[in-house]
Amino acid sequence: KKVTPYLAGAKGDDVDDTDAILRCFDVAKDKLLNVHFGKGKYRYTQTPTVGPACNVTGEFSVAELYPVGCDGIKFTSSDVVGGRKFGGFTMLGVGANSVGYTAIKVDPGQDVSKRTTGVSFEDIQIFNFKTAVDAKNLWHSTFRSFNATNVCNGIIFRGRCVSNEVGSGTKLVRGNGALVSGECIGVQYIESTDYTPSVAARPEGCTITASVLVFCFDVLVDVDSMLAGGIYGADLDYGRSRGVRYRLWDGNPTIAPNWMAGDAGRVGQPFIGVEARPVGLQRTTCVSIDHITMTTFNGNPGDCGIRIGSLNGRARISKTLISNQNGYGVYFDGSRFNTLKDCQINSTTPLYMFSSGGNQIDGNTIGGGAIFNNSPTSRNLWGKNDGEFCTEDTLEVPIAAGATSGSINLASAGYTRGAPAVGTVALTCFSTGGANPGSTWAEISGDGMTITAHKTVAFGVATGLFVKVQLAS
């Protein structure tokens, strides 16, 4: 039950087949047939529209679509029960630039109740478009083995998009496409307000899952507005400005890609791994950020692993590695009641707290520069539950070349003492690696604000010792 462009008169020889392709899709819509592209190069200048019950397939690697001066393919309203297949071909545009076109456009119109449902976008190669996918009101659909290269924007979900998955084998690569006005974004979730009558609707419960690569966009993932959903196990690499940026993302979402990195060759542009940016009075709370390896930052002042802006808070940051050579590890920029636990942070400023409070910080390995605390309130203390001193945290104590001991003054490094703890402070000292330091030990001063670490073997270069600080009950 299928019709092919050849049956409608197409030649597939890289000469204009517009009339035949439009006729093919019209017949498929009227007769409830599927469309199948056989081997050939199909050039056309008007966008065909997929019928509400139509599968569109092709002979992968030998079926090539060449839209010129138009979008690639368009979906309108379709709420058919059961899955639909779309893929098995290559789509090549005329260039990735500000006047380019969209390869796949899903637009059921301005009626918020209309939607396109259950499409499997699979085994598709897309090259040289401004945007690979622009989807409005797309429901319960998946992207797998979906490759978009040399595009200014990857996949945009707008309006009432529900439970869509960017999944295994998907690769979105900005490539060398020219910049559009503004930013190039890998995956974006954005509210739509162009419905009639005037209403606003936003995506809900959409996810990015394992084995997904988003590469070289200004913002790798941008959540302008979404309810729930999350990022799980993706590779977010070579970000030019931001890894994950979110504005309004409620419903306890999760951000846990397995890798996140900036473009080390991007001169003058700071890279922030995860950024919560407040806009007006809109805020995001209770985001879980965990199990991320963040490295290869842009090497510019202002680089930051995680930055939680004002009005946001209650973020749970755990088991994350942040290796940042020139910038901040974690920056609580006026945000409150965040939890930072069991992370390894090595940055010029591992922790920067600006006029925030109520944060719980324990179980972390801290290396690099000083801790900065600009909080005006005593509730922003370095320690678990804002009242204990450095509970279960690991600090790096520097030791000069040729020396066997060194000290860190916690007050000068930005630590505050906190409320008097019940019990004693226990210290465990161990090497940061390299040559064998011999025996190691450490002690803390009577006021609890200076830690001194010792080793029996001196090195010819500056080194350090890790000291784990625990509150012994």
Side-chain angles (χ1 to χ4, degrees):
K1 301 180 65 174
K2 66 184 178 182
V3 61
T4 71
Y6 282 117
L7 293 176
K11 301 297 184 181
D13 57 359
D14 202 14
V15 178
D16 191 0
D17 281 325
T18 301
D19 291 342
I21 289 175
L22 294 179
R23 187 182 306 117
C24 175
F25 276 83
D26 288 343
V27 169
K29 179 179 178 181
D30 293 341
K31 303 295 185 181
L32 300 180
L33 300 173
N34 299 317
V35 173
H36 182 78
F37 285 90
K39 180 180 179 180
K41 297 182 178 181
Y42 303 91
R43 184 176 296 273
Y44 54 94
T45 58
Q46 295 182 49
T47 305
T49 299
V50 180
C54 179
N55 296 320
V56 182
T57 59
E59 295 183 27
F60 187 68
S61 79
V62 295
E64 299 179 358
L65 281 61
Y66 289 84
V68 179
C70 64
D71 295 329
I73 287 183
K74 181 178 179 179
F75 287 79
T76 57
S77 177
S78 170
D79 197 12
V80 178
V81 176
R84 300 174 62 195
K85 296 180 180 180
F86 184 85
F89 44 79
T90 299
M91 300 181 69
L92 296 103
V94 296
N97 51 64
S98 59
V99 295
Y101 294 91
T102 299
I104 302 171
K105 193 161 190 175
V106 181
D107 190 355
Q110 293 179 305
D111 185 344
V112 72
S113 67
K114 301 295 184 182
R115 59 189 179 180
T116 298
T117 304
V119 182
S120 175
F121 299 92
E122 190 167 351
D123 293 330
I124 303 174
Q125 303 277 350
I126 292 174
F127 299 93
N128 304 329
F129 284 87
K130 176 182 177 181
T131 302
V133 179
D134 191 331
K136 179 181 178 183
N137 287 28
L138 179 67
W139 287 48
H140 304 295
S141 296
T142 60
F143 294 83
R144 292 193 173 93
S145 298
F146 183 94
N147 186 345
T149 299
N150 200 29
V151 295
C152 292
N153 301 296
I155 303 175
I156 301 174
F157 296 96
R158 64 177 76 245
R160 187 160 287 166
C161 287
V162 178
S163 298
N164 300 299
E165 177 190 348
V166 178
S168 177
T170 296
K171 295 179 177 60
L172 306 174
V173 181
R174 180 183 172 274
N176 58 1
L179 280 172
V180 298
S181 176
E183 297 173 315
C184 294
I185 297 176
V187 181
Q188 184 177 43
Y189 304 93
I190 188 170
E191 183 178 279
S192 180
T193 58
D194 64 347
Y195 297 103
T196 302
S198 180
V199 296
R202 59 182 177 145
E204 302 175 13
C206 297
T207 60
I208 301 173
T209 58
S211 301
V212 173
L213 171 66
V214 185
F215 187 86
C216 202
F217 294 89
D218 292 299
V219 182
L220 299 172
V221 179
D222 180 53
V223 182
D224 188 73
S225 182
M226 186 163 67
L227 174 63
I231 305 170
Y232 307 94
D235 184 348
L236 308 180
D237 205 354
Y238 255 67
R240 297 160 64 91
S241 174
R242 301 292 187 272
V244 176
R245 182 177 66 190
Y246 61 87
R247 179 176 67 95
L248 179 60
W249 195 2
D250 48 1
N252 300 338
T254 296
I255 303 173
N258 63 344
W259 177 267
M260 186 181 297
D263 180 358
R266 184 75 170 160
V267 178
Q269 175 64 65
F271 176 76
I272 299 177
V274 176
E275 181 183 42
R277 56 179 188 131
V279 177
L281 296 178
Q282 293 183 332
R283 67 187 69 192
T284 297
T285 60
C286 299
V287 175
S288 177
I289 305 171
D290 59 15
H291 288 87
I292 306 174
T293 297
M294 297 185 184
T295 185
T296 317
F297 285 76
N298 294 2
N300 299 307
D303 280 355
C304 187
I306 299 172
R307 182 164 182 161
I308 311 296
S310 62
L311 300 181
N312 301 281
R314 301 190 185 278
R316 301 178 298 275
I317 306 169
S318 64
K319 298 179 181 179
T320 289
L321 166 65
I322 300 173
S323 180
N324 183 357
Q325 297 175 349
N326 191 5
Y328 306 104
V330 176
Y331 193 143
F332 293 141
D333 190 3
S335 63
R336 304 184 64 191
F337 303 111
N338 302 291
T339 299
L340 181 66
K341 182 175 177 62
D342 298 334
C343 297
Q344 182 175 340
I345 307 172
N346 188 11
S347 299
T348 304
T349 301
L351 179 64
Y352 190 103
M353 295 185 289
F354 180 79
S355 299
S356 57
N359 299 299
Q360 301 181 20
I361 305 166
D362 69 293
N364 304 286
T365 298
I366 303 294
I371 310 297
F372 184 88
N373 180 4
N374 189 39
S375 172
T377 169
S378 61
R379 284 192 55 76
N380 196 9
L381 303 174
W382 178 259
K384 186 176 181 181
N385 299 324
D386 298 314
E388 301 171 356
F389 172 74
C390 285
T391 304
E392 297 179 353
D393 277 74
T394 303
L395 310 174
E396 185 177 20
V397 178
I399 298 178
T404 57
S405 64
S407 299
I408 180 172
N409 182 278
L410 299 177
S412 62
Y415 293 83
T416 53
R417 174 64 175 90
V422 177
T424 60
V425 175
L427 304 178
T428 303
C429 190
F430 53 95
S431 173
T432 58
N436 186 355
S439 300
T440 59
W441 68 98
E443 68 260 359
I444 192 167
S445 60
D447 62 358
M449 292 306 294
T450 299
I451 293 177
T452 302
H454 304 270
K455 59 180 183 175
T456 57
V457 179
F459 297 160
V461 295
T463 182
L465 289 176
F466 283 141
V467 178
K468 186 174 182 180
V469 184
Q470 294 176 295
L471 183 67
S473 59

